[in-house]
Every structure is written in C-alpha cells, then in structure tokens.
Amino acid sequence: MAGNVLNATLNDGNKMPLIGLGTSRELGDALKTMLNLALEIGYRHIDTAHAYQNEAAIGEVLKTWLDSGKIKREELFVVTKLPGMGNRAESVEKYLKQSLQDLQLSYVDLYLVHSPVGSIEGTSNNPMDRAVDMNTDHISLWKAMEAQVDAGRARSIGLSNFNARQVKRIVRAARIPPASLQVELNVYFQQRELVAFCRALDVSVCAYSPLGSPGSRFRATGNWPTQDPVVLAVANKHNKTAGQVLLRHHVQRGIVAIPKSTNPSRLKENLQVFDFQLDDEDMEKLAALDKRAKGRMFFQNQSKSSEGHPEYPFKDLY
Ligand SMILES: NC(=O)c1ccc[n+]([C@@H]2O[C@H](COP(=O)([O-])OP(=O)(O)OC[C@H]3O[C@@H](n4cnc5c(N)ncnc54)[C@H](OP(=O)(O)O)[C@@H]3O)[C@@H](O)[C@H]2O)c1
C-alpha cells in the first residue's frame, strides 16, 4: 500500500508523501494504537510537534518498527515543530535535540517553526494562556533553523501558520529557503491566494485539518465539509467517501494533507485516494465551496494574547 502514496518534491529535492498522519490531541495508548495501525496500512509520513506532547509515545512505536526491520528509516517522513516558546535563535537547537531524543531518531525529515508568534519560555503549554514574547525575530530564528540542516538534525525546514508576507521575508533572507508551509486548509478555506503565492516561491503547501476538523470546538456553525451535500454528491458519483473526495481535492491541487483518524476504517480510507480522479466539473464544484477568510477556524478565538503580537499572522488576508 505504501508504494501507492505519491510524493510532493520539495525545493531541496526531498520527497514528502502527499498524505500523512496527523497526531495532535492523541496521547498514550490511543496514539500508539493509531500509529501502529497507520504504519500497517502504509502511512509513512507522520506529523507531530513538541506542543502535542506525544513525541515520546511516537518514538516508542517507531523504534519498535525500525528495530524489527519492518521499515527502514529512509522510508519514513517524520515532521515535528519548534514550539512558540522556542521562537528565538538560541533555543532552536535545544528544542530540536529534545524532540529527537523523544522520537528516538537522529534526524527529522522536516522541522517547522510552529507559529510566527513567539511566547515566553516557561509559561503555560496551553496556547490560550501563554504569555507572548514581543521580541520575536524571524530572520535570526531562521538562521538557527538553517544550522539544524547543516548539523544533520533536519533534512528539510519549513514554517507553519505564517502568512505570505512573513514567508516572503524569510525566503528573501534565506540561505536555505523554507521547503514547506503548513497551514489550515480545507474545502471551506481553500487558501487559493496563499497557495499560488507559495507556488511562485517554490514552497510546498501542507494542509492541516484537511477535512475541516469535523467536531472541532472551534467551528461555531457545526457545518462540516464531510457532511456537505456537494461533497457527498461527488463522493457518490465516484463511489468514494466524503473524506476521500476532500483529500483527493487537495492531492489534485498538489497540496500535502495530514488527516487524523483513530477510527480504523477512516484511517484506511484516508490513504486510499490515489486510485480515482476528480474531473473538471468535480473540481469546479468543490472550488465553489470556498468561503475564503470566513472558512478559517483556528486561532480566531483561541489565543487572544497573541493577537497583539507584532507577528500575529491572521490580520493579513493571506
Ligand atoms: N500546524 C498547526 O498549527 C496545526 C493545527 C491543527 C492541526 N495540525 C495537524 O493537522 C492534523 C489534522 O488536523 P485535525 O485533526 O484538526 O483535523 P482533520 O484531520 O481535518 O479532522 C480530524 C477529525 O475528522 C475525523 N475524520 C477523520 N477521517 C475522517 C473521514 N474520512 N470522514 C469523516 N471524518 C473523519 C476524525 O475523527 P475519527 O478519529 O473518529 O475518525 C477527527 O475527529 C493534526 O492531527 C495535526 O497533526 C497542525
């Protein structure tokens, strides 16, 4: 099965599977069960973060698989993220070394700056009440990210939750440009301007919450893309599920997606999106579901304190 998953080729030549496994909010045994099953099914791209507090559990599972010889390290694509409280040059190496220790790996495939907003070290791990550090300097931070590639601790480096202006400033100053930008992106929030902008700069885009995070407490309306009548009609036409159509839509736009599921059949279906094709009519119908900025769900009411930060990203249109 793993061989069926196509890759995005990043600007540094590294290959990133177009579908990966999201792991946020999953911990302990539930996480280990999900990850073991995902690896059996054929997932090879795993998305985590220091902030998810699950790297050690992921590391335990990966070690078992790697020690058994069932997978080789080079077959995996492991992504983790520098927490906001590490958003300063002198903290990057410390946090990446901690992640590598927890993951029991000598390198990650992609290391992302989780947020453009820095917070003060030692404050709460909860983004909602974390004290922001108003002195975040993206350029010196990025130089420290580049040093992680030089040291062999990260194969590729990138960004998450940065807006176009912030991405461009880093690309202009970079010796190693960001390979990937991970942002909220789903059929109701298609981020077309940002995707085009990144494409022009040769920065690959990865969709987080690619199904619209059904059930999330952050969407007030309770309208989920997985229940949208247009999506369901396209799914019916192809004899696929709504989730598969939503993920296929990303894949056909050249966007990497990292859905999360603890449900075995949904975990499986989310990877099976390489055996059918959406036609032009389907793509147009799905494009028309875009609510643009109104479709954004995350970081609206999640972290009021970060809105006053000079690098708060979501005041710009994209
Ligand atoms: N960089 C960032 O700031 C950031 C922010 C948010 C998320 N992320 C990453 O993105 C990953 C995914 O985001 P997410 O979990 O918020 O959203 P998501 O993957 O869009 O949605 C996950 C939810 O959808 C359900 N689901 C999964 N597959 C489904 C299907 N085929 N049909 C219907 N429902 C399905 C899951 O429930 P079941 O488990 O019951 O199937 C779960 O409740 C995270 O795990 C994390 O790795 C990154």
Side-chain angles (χ1 to χ4, degrees):
M1 172 105 51
N4 292 340
V5 178
L6 300 180
N7 295 306
T9 300
L10 305 179
N11 59 15
D12 53 16
N14 292 332
K15 303 227 184 283
M16 180 175 188
L18 280 162
I19 298 289
L21 178 71
T23 68
S24 66
R25 299 187 294 279
E26 296 302 331
L27 299 166
D29 286 346
L31 169 85
K32 289 184 196 170
T33 304
M34 172 176 82
L35 181 54
N36 272 309
L37 189 57
L39 291 166
E40 289 289 350
I41 291 168
Y43 283 83
R44 293 294 179 264
H45 166 183
I46 319 292
D47 182 81
T48 181
H50 175 92
Y52 301 167
Q53 300 179 25
N54 62 15
E55 291 171 304
I58 290 175
E60 274 181 46
V61 174
L62 294 182
K63 182 168 170 36
T64 310
W65 277 72
L66 290 165
D67 285 354
S68 74
K70 280 205 280 182
I71 43 172
K72 298 192 185 76
R73 175 65 186 92
E74 54 272 27
E75 291 168 344
L76 288 170
F77 193 94
V78 180
V79 184
T80 194
K81 310 182 191 92
L82 176 74
M85 56 187 170
N87 270 13
R88 63 195 63 75
E90 61 273 25
S91 298
V92 174
E93 181 175 324
K94 177 180 78 174
Y95 279 102
L96 179 50
K97 280 183 169 169
Q98 181 66 56
S99 288
L100 291 173
Q101 188 181 322
D102 289 346
L103 289 163
Q104 305 194 48
L105 298 173
S106 61
Y107 68 90
V108 288
D109 296 275
L110 177 60
Y111 195 47
L112 303 176
V113 181
H114 203 150
S115 164
V117 173
S119 50
I120 293 172
E121 233 174 348
T123 56
S124 162
N125 199 35
N126 179 351
M128 294 175 75
D129 57 15
R130 203 174 285 156
V132 292
D133 171 4
M134 302 303 256
N135 298 315
T136 306
D137 171 13
H138 287 171
I139 303 304
S140 61
L141 176 63
W142 191 253
K143 286 193 193 318
M145 291 290 285
E146 292 174 329
Q148 304 315 304
V149 178
D150 298 337
R153 287 187 279 268
R155 290 274 157 101
S156 299
I157 46 177
L159 304 167
S160 181
N161 295 303
F162 280 57
N163 66 27
R165 193 168 41 84
Q166 294 168 327
V167 173
K168 190 172 178 182
R169 190 172 55 202
I170 288 179
V171 168
R172 279 200 173 147
R175 177 170 57 83
I176 304 174
S180 173
L181 173 67
Q182 186 182 118
V183 285
E184 181 185 358
L185 195 157
N186 67 74
V187 79
Y188 290 162
F189 184 46
Q190 298 185 22
Q191 299 257 36
R192 289 195 174 258
E193 294 96 339
L194 185 60
V195 170
F197 184 87
C198 286
R199 193 150 290 150
L201 293 177
D202 199 14
V203 177
S204 178
V205 174
C206 173
Y208 75 65
S209 305
L211 302 166
S213 205
S216 168
R217 65 196 163 96
F218 297 118
R219 191 185 291 285
T221 62
N223 279 340
W224 307 111
T226 45
Q227 290 162 2
D228 188 285
V230 173
V231 176
L232 289 168
V234 175
N236 198 32
K237 172 176 156 185
H238 292 278
N239 206 15
K240 292 283 174 182
T241 67
Q244 287 172 317
V245 165
L246 293 168
L247 295 172
R248 179 73 206 178
H249 184 227
H250 297 318
V251 165
Q252 283 188 216
R253 293 180 63 205
I255 295 166
V256 178
I258 46 169
K260 192 262 336 177
S261 181
T262 49
N263 174 289
S265 71
R266 288 194 283 276
L267 193 62
K268 201 168 184 180
E269 73 182 50
N270 290 347
L271 200 62
Q272 290 173 337
V273 298
F274 297 96
D275 58 354
F276 75 110
Q277 184 88 19
L278 299 171
D279 60 30
D280 291 349
E281 193 190 351
D282 303 328
M283 291 298 281
E284 277 166 30
K285 282 183 181 164
L286 294 168
L289 296 179
D290 193 5
K291 300 180 200 286
R292 297 173 54 92
K294 287 193 184 117
R296 187 193 290 283
M297 207 174 22
F298 285 99
F299 298 119
Q300 288 255 306
N301 43 19
Q302 196 176 2
S303 74
K304 279 281 169 219
S305 61
S306 66
E307 284 181 24
H309 190 281
E311 297 294 354
Y312 181 76
F314 302 137
K315 285 183 180 149
D316 292 23
L317 189 58
Y318 66 94

Short mmCIF file of all heavy atoms in Angstrom, two decimals, residues 21-26 47-48 52 81 114 160-161 182 207-215 226 241 243-244 258-263 266-267 269-270 298-299, ligand 1:
data_model
loop_
_atom_site.label_atom_id
_atom_site.label_comp_id
_atom_site.label_asym_id
_atom_site.label_seq_id
_atom_site.Cartn_x
_atom_site.Cartn_y
_atom_site.Cartn_z
N LEU A 21 -0.06 11.33 8.46
CA LEU A 21 -0.93 11.09 9.61
C LEU A 21 -0.82 12.25 10.59
O LEU A 21 0.26 12.51 11.12
CB LEU A 21 -0.50 9.78 10.31
CG LEU A 21 -1.30 9.43 11.57
CD1 LEU A 21 -2.73 9.02 11.22
CD2 LEU A 21 -0.61 8.33 12.36
N GLY A 22 -1.94 12.93 10.84
CA GLY A 22 -1.98 13.95 11.88
C GLY A 22 -2.05 13.27 13.24
O GLY A 22 -2.64 12.20 13.38
N THR A 23 -1.44 13.87 14.26
CA THR A 23 -1.42 13.22 15.58
C THR A 23 -1.81 14.15 16.73
O THR A 23 -1.75 13.72 17.89
CB THR A 23 -0.01 12.64 15.90
OG1 THR A 23 0.90 13.73 16.07
CG2 THR A 23 0.47 11.69 14.82
N SER A 24 -2.21 15.39 16.44
CA SER A 24 -2.46 16.29 17.58
C SER A 24 -3.65 15.80 18.39
O SER A 24 -4.57 15.17 17.87
CB SER A 24 -2.70 17.72 17.10
OG SER A 24 -3.88 17.82 16.36
N ARG A 25 -3.60 16.08 19.66
CA ARG A 25 -4.63 15.72 20.65
C ARG A 25 -4.69 14.21 20.92
O ARG A 25 -5.55 13.75 21.65
CB ARG A 25 -6.02 16.26 20.27
CG ARG A 25 -6.06 17.79 20.20
CD ARG A 25 -7.47 18.32 19.99
NE ARG A 25 -8.02 17.97 18.72
CZ ARG A 25 -7.76 18.60 17.59
NH1 ARG A 25 -6.94 19.63 17.58
NH2 ARG A 25 -8.30 18.24 16.45
N GLU A 26 -3.80 13.43 20.30
CA GLU A 26 -3.78 11.99 20.60
C GLU A 26 -2.56 11.70 21.48
O GLU A 26 -1.45 12.15 21.18
CB GLU A 26 -3.71 11.16 19.31
CG GLU A 26 -4.94 11.31 18.44
CD GLU A 26 -6.25 10.93 19.14
OE1 GLU A 26 -6.25 10.08 20.04
OE2 GLU A 26 -7.29 11.53 18.80
N ASP A 47 3.00 13.42 11.28
CA ASP A 47 3.10 14.82 11.67
C ASP A 47 2.91 14.95 13.18
O ASP A 47 1.88 14.56 13.72
CB ASP A 47 2.01 15.65 10.97
CG ASP A 47 2.11 17.12 11.33
OD1 ASP A 47 2.95 17.80 10.72
OD2 ASP A 47 1.38 17.57 12.23
N THR A 48 3.93 15.49 13.85
CA THR A 48 3.78 15.74 15.29
C THR A 48 4.35 17.12 15.60
O THR A 48 4.66 17.91 14.71
CB THR A 48 4.43 14.61 16.13
OG1 THR A 48 4.23 14.89 17.52
CG2 THR A 48 5.92 14.45 15.86
N TYR A 52 2.42 18.94 20.99
CA TYR A 52 1.40 17.88 21.11
C TYR A 52 1.68 16.94 22.29
O TYR A 52 0.84 16.11 22.62
CB TYR A 52 1.31 17.05 19.82
CG TYR A 52 0.96 17.83 18.57
CD1 TYR A 52 1.11 17.26 17.31
CD2 TYR A 52 0.50 19.15 18.64
CE1 TYR A 52 0.80 17.96 16.15
CE2 TYR A 52 0.21 19.86 17.49
CZ TYR A 52 0.37 19.27 16.25
OH TYR A 52 0.08 19.98 15.10
N LYS A 81 7.79 20.06 15.15
CA LYS A 81 7.71 21.54 15.11
C LYS A 81 8.31 22.17 16.36
O LYS A 81 8.11 21.66 17.48
CB LYS A 81 6.24 21.98 14.98
CG LYS A 81 5.49 21.25 13.87
CD LYS A 81 4.06 21.71 13.70
CE LYS A 81 3.29 20.79 12.77
NZ LYS A 81 2.59 19.69 13.45
N HIS A 114 6.52 26.31 14.39
CA HIS A 114 5.09 26.02 14.54
C HIS A 114 4.21 27.26 14.37
O HIS A 114 3.10 27.18 13.85
CB HIS A 114 4.84 25.41 15.94
CG HIS A 114 3.60 24.60 16.04
ND1 HIS A 114 3.47 23.54 16.90
CD2 HIS A 114 2.41 24.68 15.41
CE1 HIS A 114 2.26 23.01 16.78
NE2 HIS A 114 1.60 23.69 15.89
N SER A 160 5.01 27.07 9.74
CA SER A 160 3.59 26.77 9.92
C SER A 160 2.88 28.00 10.46
O SER A 160 3.42 28.70 11.34
CB SER A 160 3.42 25.59 10.89
OG SER A 160 2.05 25.29 11.04
N ASN A 161 1.70 28.27 9.94
CA ASN A 161 0.85 29.40 10.37
C ASN A 161 1.45 30.76 10.02
O ASN A 161 1.04 31.77 10.60
CB ASN A 161 0.55 29.31 11.88
CG ASN A 161 -0.27 28.09 12.22
OD1 ASN A 161 -1.35 27.90 11.68
ND2 ASN A 161 0.24 27.24 13.09
N GLN A 182 3.00 24.77 6.40
CA GLN A 182 1.82 24.02 6.88
C GLN A 182 0.81 25.02 7.43
O GLN A 182 1.11 25.75 8.37
CB GLN A 182 2.24 23.02 7.97
CG GLN A 182 1.09 22.12 8.38
CD GLN A 182 1.44 21.14 9.50
OE1 GLN A 182 0.86 21.20 10.58
NE2 GLN A 182 2.36 20.24 9.24
N ALA A 207 -1.68 20.99 4.03
CA ALA A 207 -2.96 21.35 4.65
C ALA A 207 -3.08 20.68 6.01
O ALA A 207 -3.08 19.45 6.09
CB ALA A 207 -4.11 20.88 3.76
N TYR A 208 -3.21 21.49 7.06
CA TYR A 208 -3.58 20.88 8.34
C TYR A 208 -5.10 20.99 8.52
O TYR A 208 -5.75 21.81 7.87
CB TYR A 208 -2.77 21.41 9.52
CG TYR A 208 -3.04 22.77 10.11
CD1 TYR A 208 -4.23 23.10 10.75
CD2 TYR A 208 -2.02 23.72 10.11
CE1 TYR A 208 -4.43 24.33 11.34
CE2 TYR A 208 -2.20 24.97 10.72
CZ TYR A 208 -3.41 25.27 11.33
OH TYR A 208 -3.60 26.49 11.93
N SER A 209 -5.64 20.10 9.33
CA SER A 209 -7.10 19.97 9.45
C SER A 209 -7.71 19.89 8.05
O SER A 209 -8.63 20.65 7.71
CB SER A 209 -7.69 21.13 10.25
OG SER A 209 -7.06 21.21 11.51
N PRO A 210 -7.23 18.98 7.21
CA PRO A 210 -7.61 18.97 5.80
C PRO A 210 -9.05 18.53 5.54
O PRO A 210 -9.56 18.75 4.44
CB PRO A 210 -6.63 17.94 5.19
CG PRO A 210 -6.31 17.02 6.32
CD PRO A 210 -6.29 17.89 7.54
N LEU A 211 -9.69 17.95 6.56
CA LEU A 211 -11.10 17.57 6.42
C LEU A 211 -11.99 18.63 7.05
O LEU A 211 -13.21 18.47 7.12
CB LEU A 211 -11.35 16.21 7.09
CG LEU A 211 -10.51 15.05 6.56
CD1 LEU A 211 -10.57 13.85 7.51
CD2 LEU A 211 -10.97 14.66 5.17
N GLY A 212 -11.39 19.69 7.54
CA GLY A 212 -12.14 20.73 8.24
C GLY A 212 -12.32 20.39 9.71
O GLY A 212 -13.14 20.99 10.39
N SER A 213 -11.52 19.41 10.19
CA SER A 213 -11.52 19.04 11.60
C SER A 213 -12.93 18.82 12.14
O SER A 213 -13.37 19.50 13.07
CB SER A 213 -10.80 20.13 12.42
OG SER A 213 -10.29 19.60 13.61
N PRO A 214 -13.69 17.85 11.55
CA PRO A 214 -15.07 17.64 11.99
C PRO A 214 -15.17 17.45 13.50
O PRO A 214 -14.38 16.74 14.08
CB PRO A 214 -15.51 16.37 11.26
CG PRO A 214 -14.45 16.02 10.31
CD PRO A 214 -13.27 16.90 10.53
N GLY A 215 -16.14 18.14 14.08
CA GLY A 215 -16.33 18.02 15.52
C GLY A 215 -15.53 19.04 16.31
O GLY A 215 -15.71 19.16 17.52
N THR A 226 -17.25 17.27 5.65
CA THR A 226 -17.53 15.85 5.42
C THR A 226 -19.03 15.56 5.29
O THR A 226 -19.42 14.47 4.90
CB THR A 226 -16.95 15.00 6.58
OG1 THR A 226 -17.28 15.63 7.82
CG2 THR A 226 -15.45 14.82 6.45
N THR A 241 -15.90 7.97 -0.31
CA THR A 241 -16.49 8.69 0.83
C THR A 241 -16.20 10.19 0.70
O THR A 241 -15.32 10.60 -0.08
CB THR A 241 -15.88 8.20 2.16
OG1 THR A 241 -14.51 8.59 2.20
CG2 THR A 241 -16.00 6.69 2.31
N GLY A 243 -14.74 12.00 2.87
CA GLY A 243 -13.35 12.23 3.29
C GLY A 243 -12.38 12.00 2.14
O GLY A 243 -11.43 12.78 1.94
N GLN A 244 -12.61 10.96 1.37
CA GLN A 244 -11.70 10.67 0.25
C GLN A 244 -11.76 11.77 -0.81
O GLN A 244 -10.74 12.14 -1.39
CB GLN A 244 -12.05 9.30 -0.36
CG GLN A 244 -11.62 8.16 0.55
CD GLN A 244 -12.13 6.81 0.08
OE1 GLN A 244 -13.28 6.66 -0.32
NE2 GLN A 244 -11.27 5.80 0.16
N ILE A 258 -2.63 16.10 5.95
CA ILE A 258 -2.30 15.27 7.12
C ILE A 258 -3.55 15.01 7.97
O ILE A 258 -3.65 15.48 9.11
CB ILE A 258 -1.17 15.92 7.96
CG1 ILE A 258 -1.42 17.44 8.17
CG2 ILE A 258 0.18 15.72 7.30
CD1 ILE A 258 -0.48 18.08 9.20
N PRO A 259 -4.51 14.23 7.44
CA PRO A 259 -5.71 13.93 8.22
C PRO A 259 -5.37 13.08 9.44
O PRO A 259 -4.42 12.30 9.42
CB PRO A 259 -6.56 13.13 7.24
CG PRO A 259 -5.57 12.48 6.33
CD PRO A 259 -4.46 13.48 6.18
N LYS A 260 -6.20 13.23 10.49
CA LYS A 260 -6.05 12.41 11.68
C LYS A 260 -7.29 11.56 11.85
O LYS A 260 -8.42 12.05 11.69
CB LYS A 260 -5.87 13.32 12.90
CG LYS A 260 -5.41 12.66 14.14
CD LYS A 260 -6.42 12.27 15.19
CE LYS A 260 -7.73 12.92 15.33
NZ LYS A 260 -8.62 12.38 16.35
N SER A 261 -7.11 10.28 12.11
CA SER A 261 -8.25 9.45 12.48
C SER A 261 -7.80 8.34 13.42
O SER A 261 -6.78 7.70 13.18
CB SER A 261 -8.93 8.82 11.26
OG SER A 261 -10.03 8.05 11.69
N THR A 262 -8.60 8.12 14.46
CA THR A 262 -8.34 6.98 15.33
C THR A 262 -9.26 5.81 14.95
O THR A 262 -9.20 4.76 15.56
CB THR A 262 -8.61 7.35 16.81
OG1 THR A 262 -9.88 7.99 16.88
CG2 THR A 262 -7.54 8.26 17.36
N ASN A 263 -10.11 6.04 13.95
CA ASN A 263 -11.06 5.01 13.53
C ASN A 263 -10.42 4.17 12.42
O ASN A 263 -10.03 4.71 11.38
CB ASN A 263 -12.32 5.71 13.01
CG ASN A 263 -13.31 4.75 12.41
OD1 ASN A 263 -13.07 4.21 11.34
ND2 ASN A 263 -14.41 4.54 13.09
N ARG A 266 -11.72 4.69 8.79
CA ARG A 266 -11.43 6.02 8.24
C ARG A 266 -9.94 6.23 8.03
O ARG A 266 -9.51 6.85 7.06
CB ARG A 266 -12.01 7.11 9.16
CG ARG A 266 -13.52 7.18 9.12
CD ARG A 266 -14.05 8.46 9.75
NE ARG A 266 -14.04 8.43 11.21
CZ ARG A 266 -14.98 7.91 11.97
NH1 ARG A 266 -16.03 7.34 11.41
NH2 ARG A 266 -14.90 7.95 13.28
N LEU A 267 -9.13 5.67 8.92
CA LEU A 267 -7.67 5.75 8.77
C LEU A 267 -7.26 5.15 7.42
O LEU A 267 -6.45 5.71 6.68
CB LEU A 267 -7.03 4.97 9.92
CG LEU A 267 -5.54 5.14 10.20
CD1 LEU A 267 -5.20 6.57 10.57
CD2 LEU A 267 -5.12 4.21 11.35
N GLU A 269 -9.33 4.56 4.73
CA GLU A 269 -9.89 5.25 3.54
C GLU A 269 -9.13 6.55 3.25
O GLU A 269 -8.98 6.94 2.09
CB GLU A 269 -11.40 5.52 3.70
CG GLU A 269 -11.76 6.61 4.68
CD GLU A 269 -13.28 6.81 4.82
OE1 GLU A 269 -14.00 5.83 5.04
OE2 GLU A 269 -13.71 7.98 4.74
N ASN A 270 -8.62 7.18 4.30
CA ASN A 270 -7.92 8.46 4.09
C ASN A 270 -6.63 8.29 3.27
O ASN A 270 -6.16 9.25 2.67
CB ASN A 270 -7.61 9.13 5.43
CG ASN A 270 -8.86 9.64 6.14
OD1 ASN A 270 -9.93 9.71 5.54
ND2 ASN A 270 -8.73 9.98 7.40
N PHE A 298 -9.13 28.02 12.97
CA PHE A 298 -8.14 28.01 14.04
C PHE A 298 -7.57 29.40 14.32
O PHE A 298 -7.45 30.22 13.42
CB PHE A 298 -7.01 27.04 13.72
CG PHE A 298 -7.44 25.62 13.89
CD1 PHE A 298 -7.83 24.86 12.81
CD2 PHE A 298 -7.49 25.05 15.16
CE1 PHE A 298 -8.25 23.56 12.97
CE2 PHE A 298 -7.92 23.76 15.33
CZ PHE A 298 -8.29 23.00 14.24
N PHE A 299 -7.21 29.61 15.54
CA PHE A 299 -6.55 30.83 16.02
C PHE A 299 -7.43 32.07 15.89
O PHE A 299 -6.94 33.17 15.87
CB PHE A 299 -5.20 31.06 15.31
CG PHE A 299 -4.23 29.97 15.56
CD1 PHE A 299 -3.73 29.22 14.52
CD2 PHE A 299 -3.81 29.68 16.85
CE1 PHE A 299 -2.84 28.20 14.75
CE2 PHE A 299 -2.92 28.65 17.09
CZ PHE A 299 -2.43 27.90 16.03
N1 LIG B 1 0.41 23.34 12.43
C1 LIG B 1 -0.65 23.55 13.18
O1 LIG B 1 -0.80 24.61 13.84
C2 LIG B 1 -1.74 22.51 13.23
C3 LIG B 1 -3.01 22.86 13.74
C4 LIG B 1 -4.00 21.89 13.74
C5 LIG B 1 -3.72 20.61 13.25
N2 LIG B 1 -2.46 20.29 12.79
C6 LIG B 1 -2.15 18.92 12.27
O2 LIG B 1 -3.18 18.52 11.37
C7 LIG B 1 -3.67 17.25 11.79
C8 LIG B 1 -5.11 17.05 11.38
O3 LIG B 1 -5.91 18.09 11.88
P1 LIG B 1 -7.27 17.84 12.69
O4 LIG B 1 -7.17 16.58 13.47
O5 LIG B 1 -7.56 19.13 13.38
O6 LIG B 1 -8.37 17.75 11.54
P2 LIG B 1 -8.81 16.72 10.39
O7 LIG B 1 -7.75 15.73 10.11
O8 LIG B 1 -9.33 17.59 9.32
O9 LIG B 1 -10.05 16.03 11.08
C9 LIG B 1 -9.91 15.07 12.10
C10 LIG B 1 -11.30 14.67 12.55
O10 LIG B 1 -12.00 14.13 11.43
C11 LIG B 1 -12.47 12.81 11.71
N3 LIG B 1 -12.21 12.05 10.48
C12 LIG B 1 -11.01 11.55 10.05
N4 LIG B 1 -11.15 10.96 8.86
C13 LIG B 1 -12.44 11.11 8.50
C14 LIG B 1 -13.19 10.72 7.36
N5 LIG B 1 -12.61 10.06 6.36
N6 LIG B 1 -14.51 11.03 7.33
C15 LIG B 1 -15.10 11.70 8.35
N7 LIG B 1 -14.44 12.10 9.47
C16 LIG B 1 -13.12 11.80 9.53
C17 LIG B 1 -11.67 12.34 12.90
O11 LIG B 1 -12.46 11.54 13.74
P3 LIG B 1 -12.08 9.99 13.98
O12 LIG B 1 -10.73 9.98 14.66
O13 LIG B 1 -13.19 9.50 14.82
O14 LIG B 1 -12.05 9.36 12.61
C18 LIG B 1 -11.31 13.64 13.62
O15 LIG B 1 -12.30 13.99 14.53
C19 LIG B 1 -3.45 17.28 13.29
O16 LIG B 1 -3.55 16.00 13.86
C20 LIG B 1 -2.08 17.88 13.38
O17 LIG B 1 -1.10 16.89 13.10
C21 LIG B 1 -1.49 21.24 12.75
#
